[in-house]
Amino acid sequence: MSSENDKINELNSDNENSSKTETKDFIRTIIDQHNKSGRFNGVVHTRFPPEPNGYLHIGHAKAICISFGIAEEYGGVTNLRFDDTNPTKEETKYANAIMQDIKWLGFDWGDRLFHASDYFDQLYDWAVLLINKGVAFVDDLSAEEMREYRGTLTEAGKESPYRNRTIEENLNLFEKMKKGEFPDGAKTLRAKIDMASGNMNMRDPVMYRIMRATHHRTGDKWYIYPTYDWAHGQSDSIEKITHSLCDLSFEDHRPLYDWFLDQLEVHHPQQAEFARLNINYTITSKRKLRQLVEQDIVDGWDDPRMPTLSGLRRRGFTPKSVRTFVEKLGIAKKRDSVADIALLEHGLRDELNATSSRRMAVLKPLKVVITNYPENQIEEFEAVNNPEDESAGVRKVYFSREIYIEAGDFVEVAPNRKYFRLALGKEVRLKHTYYITCDEAVKDDSGNIVELRCTYDPESKGGSTPDGRKVRGTLHWVSTHDAVDAEVRLYSHLFTKESPDADNDFLEHVNPQSLEILSGCKLEPSLLNLKAGENCQFLRHGYFCIDSKNSSEDKPVFNRSVTLKDSWTVKKK
RNA sequence: UGGGGCGUCGUCAAGCGGUAAGACACUAGCCUUUGACGCUAGCAUUCGUAGGUUCGAAUCCUGCCGCCCCAGCCA
């Protein structure tokens, strides 16, 4: 009886706990288990290991947030280590850009900046150790021969004819490889594992290749370079990493890393693999992004349409919005998952709604003359900077007889009673100021509307009238006398197809309208004071920032980071 | 006839034998000096599928089916 009660109590308390406890992903669950068992004495030490051969993109942001974020959460730290084992592809300029991007995201590796190349000597010594153990050998097979000997996915491979050289011979040959006595590609050092393994990575993988290339850090010291597979696990081990978090493509390599570490009898991190981040309407393949840049389809790696961190930054995305996005997506092992770009955009809007000042900007101007408003009169109005944040204060806006409104806010005949923007005979409110009614649309010879003639109601000053009549439509405006001219760039998805990555001809799906450049936009003058890197809401349009590359004092250029949600155009359809 | 993974709402994703969280998206309505924001409501009788075990299964067992990754001296 009593044991039954205990069980029920246990169940109840479990339920209470589970309803309060946050759900954990499989990586945090593994760490919890380690902490419970004491495997790493409660230490969580991760690393982020990029290859300095390109720019970081949103997919890397996920890996960064996971490795840095989880370590931080468990009171641990994260190393930044450049995996620079292939001198033909790596450059210092990429390393610098990568560091800048990680810092921008808000993560810090302290004084723990490392390079796989820091360990080249140790790696060499360990290779000698494996030769001495009889589990590594120098092979003379060419690349093509090796491929033939490797077998296929369903057939076992054949052992290399050089596999049974004596330890002395291997030692001698390996040293000569190091001294540069053989031409590039003539020999390799291979691990002696199992040519019949179902796991291709275990079929005597290459540990060293001969490569006469100047390394961006070690210069011309080496003629041989370790492969990633040989360097990676040991680098983690040397740095006493506890949890090596990486993407699913290294799942198959884990047995190999474990094998090396076991042979060497050194510190053994736990590797865990998660699914990479894919996002719809974009691509996250370094190779394909490079193509966009090299074929001038975009304006460089930091083009605001690019999913690179530098592109997102220039577009006006905040580090927080990127981190929130990654957190909300969660971590799992579903390889083909594709995140909705709308979630990233939602996070940005959510953040900026709370923090950005509002300003009025007319993107496609239409001149309005308020015929009953005194000429040469300028009236000052106070405008709230951010209705979501009183501390943001107020600013002054100046109203006059001639203003600009958005051309799209006027049609001659209202399409239905749900339409409450401006039309002939209709009344709308001008934000912060007066009601106006449209009397006449002036057209040019070809019938284009070039000017509106309206009358205002002096009683409506401030945006409401004594009679309390309802005016549903509120338009933003800018006075002609103090409007500032600017260029505004509107962006939309770089691709028209949800999963352009699936296609090899992904370039065919590039959205020809992903960039719309508007010139002659009319802005509220206070916008000239917007600081670089600061976001601002253009009322009824979206969030904008100054373009860091093309903007100048005399010719301001703004980027649209994200639109405001718009239920009207949805309804219209 | 190889090895490794994955299949829960349109999307991402919880769930770990006790009767399907949450977020985004979407829909309807309210509010509104941004058709924004906010608020309210709706949105998986069902967890790839077929059996089995069990009082009870998304969760355990078995068999199918589907999708993805691996044959660089790239990382």
Side-chain angles (χ1 to χ4, degrees):
Chain A
M1 234 1 204
S2 71
S3 73
E4 206 168 297
N5 279 336
D6 285 350
K7 252 188 187 169
I8 290 167
N9 285 335
E10 208 176 287
L11 263 177
N12 283 336
S13 64
D14 270 4
N15 279 339
E16 272 173 39
N17 281 338
S18 64
S19 65
K20 281 174 194 164
T21 307
E22 266 181 53
T23 55
K24 288 201 173 177
D25 54 76
F26 74 98
I27 291 178
R28 281 177 246 251
T29 303
I30 289 171
I31 294 176
D32 286 345
Q33 282 164 4
H34 290 156
N35 283 167
K36 215 171 172 181
S37 72
R39 173 162 168 199
F40 296 112
N41 298 315
V43 174
V44 177
H45 193 156
T46 60
R47 103 268 98 129
F48 175 62
E51 182 188 16
N53 73 338
Y55 294 88
L56 258 27
H57 55 65
I58 184 90
H60 296 111
K62 175 176 181 178
I64 293 168
C65 289
I66 288 173
S67 281
F68 279 90
I70 289 182
E72 198 174 291
E73 195 178 308
Y74 282 87
V77 292
T78 303
N79 297 359
L80 172 59
R81 181 177 68 244
F82 286 107
D83 255 314
D84 52 356
T85 53
N86 187 346
T88 63
K89 295 191 174 175
E90 294 139 9
E91 293 178 44
T92 304
K93 71 166 182 186
Y94 291 124
N96 292 144
I98 287 168
M99 290 193 280
Q100 187 192 353
D101 286 343
I102 299 173
K103 279 184 195 156
W104 176 70
L105 268 183
F107 294 109
D108 185 11
W109 54 90
D111 57 356
R112 296 172 309 283
L113 168 62
F114 303 113
H115 297 79
S117 53
D118 296 339
Y119 314 131
F120 281 177
D121 286 304
Q122 173 67 265
L123 255 8
Y124 180 84
D125 291 344
W126 272 337
V128 170
L129 179 70
L130 292 200
I131 292 172
N132 275 119
K133 282 186 77 168
V135 294
F137 68 100
V138 172
D139 198 353
D140 295 4
L141 250 31
S142 69
E144 304 81 73
E145 288 167 329
M146 205 182 286
R147 196 183 320 121
E148 282 162 26
Y149 274 78
R150 188 150 32 229
T152 69
L153 293 176
T154 52
E155 293 166 70
K158 287 182 298 184
E159 293 184 351
S160 165
Y162 306 97
R163 200 177 198 258
N164 295 313
R165 293 214 248 231
T166 64
I167 289 173
E168 289 66 36
E169 195 179 356
N170 281 322
L171 251 17
N172 183 253
L173 255 17
F174 187 46
E175 193 177 347
K176 285 182 173 167
M177 280 169 65
K178 184 192 185 189
K179 285 180 176 163
E181 293 184 20
F182 304 114
D184 284 15
K187 293 186 191 317
T188 56
L189 182 75
R190 292 227 262 168
K192 200 185 285 186
I193 309 181
D194 178 10
M195 289 306 289
S197 173
N199 182 343
M200 300 298 284
N201 297 120
M202 302 300 269
R203 321 248 263 225
D204 292 3
V206 171
M207 296 163 64
Y208 275 95
R209 65 286 214 199
I210 302 171
M211 210 189 266
R212 252 155 272 256
T214 303
H215 188 278
H216 75 117
R217 299 192 80 243
T218 62
D220 296 320
K221 176 179 175 185
W222 296 88
Y223 293 101
I224 56 173
Y225 288 96
T227 57
Y228 175 86
D229 276 345
W230 169 242
H232 192 77
Q234 281 68 258
S235 299
D236 282 351
S237 179
I238 291 167
E239 293 176 21
K240 293 285 180 286
I241 298 304
T242 58
H243 301 271
S244 304
L245 311 178
C246 60
D247 79 68
L248 253 24
S249 60
F250 296 105
E251 226 159 10
D252 286 349
H253 296 243
R254 178 158 29 97
L256 173 58
Y257 301 160
D258 287 344
W259 187 89
F260 282 139
L261 265 11
D262 287 343
Q263 290 295 330
L264 263 14
E265 297 178 69
V266 293
H267 168 75
H268 204 138
Q270 174 67 53
Q271 177 171 300
E273 310 87 3
F274 54 85
R276 285 219 286 243
L277 171 59
N278 302 299
I279 304 180
N280 57 12
Y281 298 106
T282 191
I283 54 175
T284 45
S285 144
K286 242 188 224 180
R287 204 195 92 237
K288 289 177 180 171
L289 290 174
R290 185 182 304 281
Q291 241 176 296
L292 292 174
V293 173
E294 285 173 357
Q295 294 183 31
D296 289 324
I297 293 164
V298 296
D299 175 36
W301 288 94
D302 64 347
D303 183 296
R305 293 165 293 178
M306 290 282 271
T308 49
L309 295 186
S310 52
L312 290 166
R313 179 164 60 232
R314 189 170 153 204
R315 170 82 166 259
F317 277 85
T318 61
K320 190 176 160 198
S321 68
V322 174
R323 290 173 66 159
T324 303
F325 173 61
V326 170
E327 271 162 37
K328 284 196 160 187
L329 287 175
I331 312 169
K333 292 176 89 91
K334 201 157 70 185
R335 199 183 272 263
D336 313 307
S337 68
V338 180
D340 194 341
I341 186 81
L343 186 63
L344 210 210
E345 295 171 343
H346 168 263
L348 215 223
R349 281 193 200 101
D350 199 41
E351 179 187 346
L352 263 23
N353 174 54
T355 59
S356 294
S357 282
R358 273 62 170 171
R359 291 291 184 270
M360 295 194 285
V362 176
L363 270 25
K364 294 174 181 169
L366 173 59
K367 191 168 161 187
V368 174
V369 178
I370 299 156
T371 51
N372 62 336
Y373 194 86
E375 282 190 53
N376 302 320
Q377 178 173 307
I378 289 172
E379 238 177 311
E380 177 184 290
F381 287 87
E382 206 164 70
V384 169
N385 283 329
N386 184 352
E388 308 285 324
D389 175 16
E390 215 177 299
S391 72
V394 295
R395 69 185 185 285
K396 304 274 199 257
V397 292
Y398 300 91
F399 188 72
S400 69
R401 190 169 191 265
E402 294 191 358
I403 61 169
Y404 296 109
I405 65 163
E406 211 66 61
D409 280 337
F410 175 79
V411 289
E412 290 184 75
V413 184
N416 53 50
R417 50 245 81 99
K418 289 269 191 175
Y419 176 91
F420 39 87
R421 262 107 107 142
L422 197 58
L424 284 175
K426 277 209 66 171
E427 185 175 52
V428 297
R429 172 169 36 238
L430 292 175
K431 182 78 178 175
H432 306 303
T433 56
Y434 293 108
Y435 292 175
I436 57 167
T437 303
C438 187
D439 306 311
E440 185 193 350
V442 182
K443 294 178 182 174
D444 65 12
D445 295 340
S446 8
N448 302 310
I449 299 167
V450 292
E451 185 182 302
L452 261 27
R453 313 213 32 110
C454 300
T455 46
Y456 85 114
D457 177 1
E459 294 269 87
S460 66
K461 182 164 185 174
S464 59
T465 51
D467 66 8
R469 69 178 185 271
K470 280 233 164 105
V471 171
R472 300 285 310 268
T474 301
L475 308 186
H476 60 279
W477 54 275
V478 175
S479 189
T480 60
H481 81 279
D482 66 354
V484 169
D485 270 52
E487 177 179 308
V488 175
R489 301 181 173 201
L490 308 182
Y491 303 99
S492 45
H493 301 153
L494 226 199
F495 292 93
T496 51
K497 198 181 170 190
E498 269 215 62
S499 41
D501 227 348
D503 263 335
N504 267 328
D505 56 339
F506 73 105
L507 290 179
E508 285 178 19
H509 305 299
V510 170
N511 180 6
Q513 291 160 107
S514 57
L515 167 62
E516 187 183 354
I517 298 182
L518 266 25
S519 53
C521 302
K522 305 294 183 183
L523 314 187
E524 204 183 306
S526 62
L527 240 10
L528 286 182
N529 302 327
L530 190 68
K531 294 186 195 79
E534 198 177 320
N535 294 279
C536 176
Q537 185 193 104
F538 286 7
L539 230 51
R540 304 209 297 140
H541 281 301
Y543 296 96
F544 293 73
C545 66
I546 288 171
D547 185 81
S548 56
K549 233 180 190 174
N550 299 307
S551 196
S552 63
E553 292 245 340
D554 40 302
K555 195 195 165 218
V557 177
F558 288 83
N559 290 327
R560 182 174 69 194
S561 311
V562 66
T563 62
L564 247 30
K565 290 229 312 190
D566 178 8
S567 54
W568 169 241
T569 37
V570 173
K571 272 182 194 161
K572 245 186 348 189
K573 283 170 188 172

